[in-house]
Amino acid sequence: MTTDSPTPDTGAELLPIATPARTRAALRTLIRPDRGLALTGVGILVAATAVGLLVQPLLGRIVDIVADGRPAGDLTLPVVLLVAVAVVQGLTTTLGLTRIARLGETVLARLRERFVERALNLPADRLERAGAGDLTARVTGDVARVAEAVRSALPEMARSVLAILLTLGALALLDVRFLLAALLAVPVQLLTARWYVRRALTLYADQRVANGAQQQQLLETIGGAVTVRGHRLEEQHTERSAGRSRKAVDLTMRSVNLVLGFYGRLHIAEYIGLAAVLIAGFWLVRDGAVSIGLVRDGAVSIGTATAAALYFHSLFGPVNAALVLLDDAQSAAAGLARLVGVTDLADQPEPAAGKAEAGKAEAGKAAPASVPRQRIASSEAAVTVHAVSHAYGPGRPVLHEVSLTLEPGEHVALVGTSGAGKSTLARIVAGVQQPTSGTVTAPAGTGSAAAGAGEHPVVLVTQEVHVFTGTLAEDLRLARPDASDADLRTALATVHALDWAEALPDGLATVVGEGGHRLDPARAQQLALARLVLADPALAVLDEATAEAGSAGARVLERSAEAALAGRTALVVAHRLTQAVAADRVVVLEAGRVVESGPHDELRDADGPYAALWRAWSGSRTTAPHP
């Protein structure tokens, strides 16, 4: 179960946060495969802690020997035993902590893999509504906070809890009255822990949300720096960034004050407990009281009182560590809840009314490792869009009951003014975005690419093309990992990119992307189209896939796109109307509705919305293209 995140002043609909119960359940699931490692590590730490508890009675024995005036030789055995205890405890503690650390790293790796896998399968529109800052904060800050807790807090917490329990047991073995005196500190410690936990979880959750909002603002400001400067919005964006930074700093200072108050209360508990144990020891030794410990007989000696005081003093470290680690634990729990919230969101079924029954992969970006899809066994149409509507929020409709049919092998161009809903419809047909209502069906076995469409029945190429870091061959094989070098060259040749690819310094082995050989927008788009050819989908969706090339590369990219789409069903969001001229049919969207549909010549001569678009577009060119 998840709950909605607190929404900052960004207007974003943040990704959900898992409830504490769901977070604990997810943690148990992550640990379950390594239960043996966990039990072994805890068992070794128990043994190490138990051995370490021999130090205090041995020191008490030395005090009794000295107090009784015995020969110096009587000190040999307890001193040798102290050395042996130190060696054994050091070795076993190291071994136990190593196993606990290995458990933590294994669980952390499993959590990271699951988070990335599920995040890649989230609907794109859900991520867009949340904003990049929220997801970035989770995959960086929250993962880092959980990792820090796993590497430092988890082993220390395990050792501290064991030390506390066994030390209290050792006090009972010496004399139950020492245990009762020590327990006077417990109410203060419990109240302190309760006071802290009730405030910390909400505070740290708010802090993570504020950090996400801060990152979102920085991403928007830096990413749109040219636009910000062009519209002279520097002051406004600076103020927004400063405001969100101030909020994050304010929450950080509140957390610092919370921790300081936490420490102050712990010191009071230590004073009460140690004073009680010392007073009890003084009273018992002075009166020659008979020990009522579980393993001792006779009067309480100075050595016994010394051992009791040392036992309680030794509790300062583990008790304070356990309680102080609540700070890390609460912060890590808040981060873990945000990570689990994402993994749970990916598991939630899509609404039946908005189910797009088409598989998807994105050739211009990374393709999800596994995409659930439902394909209709038989249909005459390659794609059927039935009464699809979509809104990005209440009162923000984009599409209104759009119905559209693409026949097998047909190329359909979507045209319309900016904001007409073209890209939204394209993404819905590709299965990247779910409609608010209506259905999209894509049958199996359609088009010439049906035989190769098992993995990617639908592929989307957008104008936002990413060149992945790695060799050119690795970048191409994202679409088909088993492709041979010959397959890669064939795909590049199909989209007229083989010449420049082989001219690279190392050919297909040339490193491209960040830190490698830079590809201009036109070549990066040809790379995406080559991935489309390798994926060999039944249906290809191009969303202004030639828009980033500029006028110089537009003709080259249009030839590449035409070659990549040959023989397969295609829906093309036309950035240039030359693509509409080449299409079998043109569909005109206006304010989210289909207002015209037909061949280019027919619509151009009909003097309707398309004819107006054609006149405006062709009139802006020196030589108006004509079919």
Side-chain angles (χ1 to χ4, degrees):
M1 180 178 180
T2 58
T3 59
D4 292 334
S5 301
T7 303
D9 55 355
T10 63
E13 181 186 335
L14 299 185
L15 296 168
I17 298 175
T19 61
R22 176 65 195 117
T23 303
R24 290 191 295 270
L27 187 58
R28 288 193 296 270
T29 301
L30 290 169
I31 294 175
R32 188 173 296 121
D34 297 292
R35 285 175 295 182
L37 182 61
L39 292 174
T40 304
V42 171
I44 294 174
L45 283 180
V46 169
T49 305
V51 170
L53 292 177
L54 296 175
V55 170
Q56 288 82 358
L58 287 173
L59 290 175
R61 179 64 176 167
I62 292 174
V63 170
D64 280 339
I65 291 173
V66 174
D68 294 342
R70 299 179 189 177
D74 290 351
L75 296 173
T76 303
L77 180 59
V79 170
V80 171
L81 290 176
L82 281 173
V83 174
V85 165
V87 173
V88 173
Q89 185 186 26
L91 293 175
T92 52
T93 299
T94 300
L95 181 59
L97 291 178
T98 299
R99 297 187 73 82
I100 294 295
R102 183 181 301 170
L103 170 68
E105 291 295 336
T106 303
V107 171
L108 178 62
R110 191 175 293 126
L111 172 65
R112 281 173 167 162
E113 292 168 1
R114 185 169 299 181
F115 177 84
V116 172
E117 177 186 354
R118 303 297 174 83
L120 287 175
N121 282 294
L122 288 177
D125 58 331
R126 184 66 184 87
L127 293 178
E128 288 173 355
R129 292 199 304 271
D134 187 32
L135 187 63
T136 301
R138 297 188 191 219
V139 81
T140 54
D142 291 324
V143 170
R145 191 61 57 88
V146 174
E148 182 182 352
V150 164
R151 289 167 182 158
S152 58
L154 177 62
E156 186 62 30
M157 176 69 83
R159 186 171 64 171
S160 297
V161 170
L162 290 173
I164 293 168
L165 295 176
L166 294 179
T167 301
L168 292 176
L171 278 171
L173 294 178
L174 288 178
D175 195 294
V176 175
R177 287 165 291 189
F178 286 127
L179 175 62
L180 295 176
L183 292 179
L184 291 177
V186 172
V188 179
Q189 292 167 335
L190 291 179
L191 289 173
T192 298
R194 183 171 179 269
W195 172 84
Y196 175 77
V197 170
R198 291 178 62 181
R199 290 162 175 78
L201 189 57
T202 302
L203 179 58
Y204 284 124
D206 290 345
Q207 190 176 358
R208 301 309 305 157
V209 170
N211 288 339
Q214 182 188 31
Q215 288 193 33
Q216 178 69 28
Q217 182 61 50
L218 291 174
L219 287 171
E220 291 177 353
T221 300
I222 295 173
V226 175
T227 303
V228 170
R229 287 195 298 268
H231 292 274
R232 301 186 181 279
L233 299 174
E234 296 94 336
E235 184 176 346
Q236 294 173 343
H237 276 258
T238 300
E239 180 56 34
R240 289 178 188 172
S241 299
R244 288 172 187 165
S245 296
R246 283 193 296 270
K247 185 173 182 179
V249 170
D250 178 64
L251 288 169
T252 300
M253 293 308 301
R254 284 173 56 190
S255 67
V256 169
N257 291 331
L258 182 66
V259 171
L260 291 176
F262 180 63
Y263 279 118
R265 287 166 170 79
L266 289 184
H267 293 327
I268 294 173
E270 291 174 0
Y271 173 80
I272 292 173
L274 184 57
V277 171
L278 290 174
I279 291 171
F282 173 77
W283 174 68
L284 293 174
V285 172
R286 186 195 65 177
D287 294 346
V290 177
S291 173
I292 55 174
L294 300 181
V295 296
R296 285 180 54 86
D297 293 319
V300 176
S301 66
I302 295 177
T304 304
T306 301
L310 290 174
Y311 269 135
F312 186 81
H313 188 272
S314 70
L315 282 175
F316 285 8
V319 168
N320 287 348
L323 294 177
V324 168
L325 285 175
L326 285 174
D327 181 63
D328 292 334
Q330 293 301 312
S331 181
L336 182 60
R338 285 161 55 82
L339 297 177
V340 174
V342 172
T343 62
D344 282 356
L345 182 62
D347 285 336
Q348 295 173 4
E350 296 293 342
K355 180 69 175 177
E357 298 170 346
K360 60 181 180 295
E362 194 170 351
K365 298 181 180 180
S370 175
V371 180
R373 54 181 173 267
Q374 178 181 351
R375 303 177 69 190
I376 308 303
S378 62
S379 174
E380 295 182 357
V383 178
T384 300
V385 179
H386 178 67
V388 163
S389 297
H390 188 73
Y392 287 104
R396 297 169 57 194
V398 179
L399 298 176
H400 304 272
E401 296 190 350
V402 173
S403 294
L404 176 66
T405 298
L406 279 72
E407 300 297 334
E410 183 182 25
H411 290 185
V412 174
L414 273 181
V415 302
T417 58
S418 178
K422 304 185 298 297
S423 293
T424 299
L425 181 57
R427 289 157 65 88
I428 289 174
V429 169
V432 172
Q433 194 160 300
Q434 300 300 326
T436 304
S437 63
T439 59
V440 179
T441 58
T446 59
S448 64
E455 283 300 316
H456 304 305
V458 183
V459 165
L460 169 68
V461 181
T462 73
Q463 61 178 313
E464 299 172 354
V465 179
H466 184 71
V467 178
F468 295 87
T469 301
T471 66
L472 182 65
E474 291 171 341
D475 206 303
L476 288 167
R477 286 193 176 98
L478 290 170
R480 204 173 92 205
D482 62 347
S484 64
D485 285 352
D487 293 331
L488 304 185
R489 290 189 173 88
T490 299
L492 289 169
T494 300
V495 298
H496 312 292
L498 184 59
D499 289 343
W500 66 256
E502 291 187 330
L504 293 174
D506 298 310
L508 294 179
T510 302
V511 175
V512 295
E514 189 71 26
H517 187 90
R518 293 186 60 84
L519 300 180
D520 61 41
R523 290 184 174 182
Q525 194 64 271
Q526 283 182 306
L527 188 60
L529 292 170
R531 288 200 291 264
L532 184 151
V533 173
L534 288 168
D536 197 18
L539 170 65
V541 179
L542 270 59
D543 183 7
E544 298 189 353
T546 64
E548 291 296 315
S551 300
R555 188 173 298 277
V556 173
L557 272 187
E558 287 176 7
R559 288 177 56 237
S560 299
E562 184 178 353
L565 298 179
R568 67 181 96 251
T569 308
L571 179 66
V572 179
V573 176
H575 176 70
R576 295 175 174 84
L577 290 190
T578 49
Q579 295 171 294
V581 174
D584 299 316
R585 181 158 51 100
V586 179
V587 173
V588 183
L589 283 181
E590 193 172 279
R593 293 181 171 86
V594 175
V595 295
E596 277 189 311
S597 178
H600 162 77
D601 291 339
E602 179 182 315
L603 296 183
R604 184 195 60 194
D605 298 336
D607 200 26
Y610 180 76
L613 288 173
W614 175 260
R615 286 193 298 268
W617 182 80
S618 59
S620 66
R621 303 172 64 83
T622 305
T623 303
H626 196 281

